[in-house]
C-alpha cells in the first residue's frame, strides 16, 4: 500500500521557520519525483518545490527559490521542505505527492498524494 504521510505543520510567527516532512512507503522511492504543493483557503492549489529521486534535480516555484529548501533522506524514504522567513501569505495546507514523471508536478497530476499538513503564519 502506498503511503505519503506529512508532518511538521503548525503555527508560527512571521519570520519564523518550519520543516515539513513527507514519509513515503509502498513504492520504489528512487524512481519517483516527490513534490510539495500548497493550497490556501479560497485559492487554487500551487506547486512549491519538487525533487527527482532519479537524478537529484530540484525545482522551485519562483516564490520558493530563496526561502524554501527541499531535501531528502533516501534511507528513510522521506522528503523535507524547510521553510524560512515565513510570511502570512505562506499560510496554507501543504501536501506532498509522488509520480514517476516530472511533468506531472508541473501539471499537478501526481499519482499519489498525502493528506495535508496545515501551516499558519501569524502576523
Amino acid at each position: 500500500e502506498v503511503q505519503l504521510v506529512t508532518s511538521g505543520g503548525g503555527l508560527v510567527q512571521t519570520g519564523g521557520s518550519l520543516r515539513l516532512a513527507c514519509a513515503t512507503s509502498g513504492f520504489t522511492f528512487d524512481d519517483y519525483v516527490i513534490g510539495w504543493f500548497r493550497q490556501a483557503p479560497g485559492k487554487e492549489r500551487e506547486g512549491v518545490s519538487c525533487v527527482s529521486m532519479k537524478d537529484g534535480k530540484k525545482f522551485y516555484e519562483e516564490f520558493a527559490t530563496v526561502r524554501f529548501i527541499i531535501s531528502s533522506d533516501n534511507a528513510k524514504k522521506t522528503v523535507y521542505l524547510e521553510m524560512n522567513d515565513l510570511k502570512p501569505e505562506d499560510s496554507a495546507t501543504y501536501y506532498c505527492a509522488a509520480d514517476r514523471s516530472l511533468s506531472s508536478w508541473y501539471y499537478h497530476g501526481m499519482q499519489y498524494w498525502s493528506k495535508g499538513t496545515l501551516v499558519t503564519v501569524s502576523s
Side-chain angles (χ1 to χ4, degrees):
E1 178 188 5
V2 172
Q3 288 191 319
L4 290 86
V5 179
T6 54
S7 61
L11 175 64
V12 64
Q13 291 185 332
T14 295
S17 297
L18 284 174
R19 190 177 79 153
L20 307 183
C22 174
T24 75
S25 62
F27 60 93
T28 306
F29 187 74
D30 292 349
D31 290 345
Y32 277 73
V33 174
I34 311 295
W36 287 96
F37 299 82
R38 70 183 186 182
Q39 187 167 22
K43 295 188 176 182
E44 292 187 357
R45 184 174 60 200
E46 61 180 346
V48 179
S49 179
C50 73
V51 56
S52 169
M53 304 316 303
K54 288 177 277 191
D55 56 18
K57 291 182 178 179
K58 301 175 182 178
F59 303 89
Y60 296 89
E61 290 294 344
E62 185 173 353
F63 71 85
T65 54
V66 175
R67 299 182 295 120
F68 293 7
I69 301 171
I70 193 168
S71 63
S72 64
D73 184 330
N74 290 33
K76 295 182 178 180
K77 298 182 180 181
T78 299
V79 173
Y80 303 96
L81 183 69
E82 180 182 338
M83 305 186 294
N84 302 302
D85 190 23
L86 283 163
K87 306 175 187 302
E89 53 264 41
D90 294 317
S91 297
T93 299
Y94 285 70
Y95 303 87
C96 69
D99 196 278
R100 290 181 179 271
S101 174
L102 179 60
S103 62
S104 297
W105 180 71
Y106 286 109
Y107 296 109
H108 298 191
M110 306 289 273
Q111 182 177 8
Y112 305 119
W113 289 85
S114 71
K115 294 181 181 179
T117 186
L118 181 63
V119 171
T120 304
V121 184
S122 63
S123 58

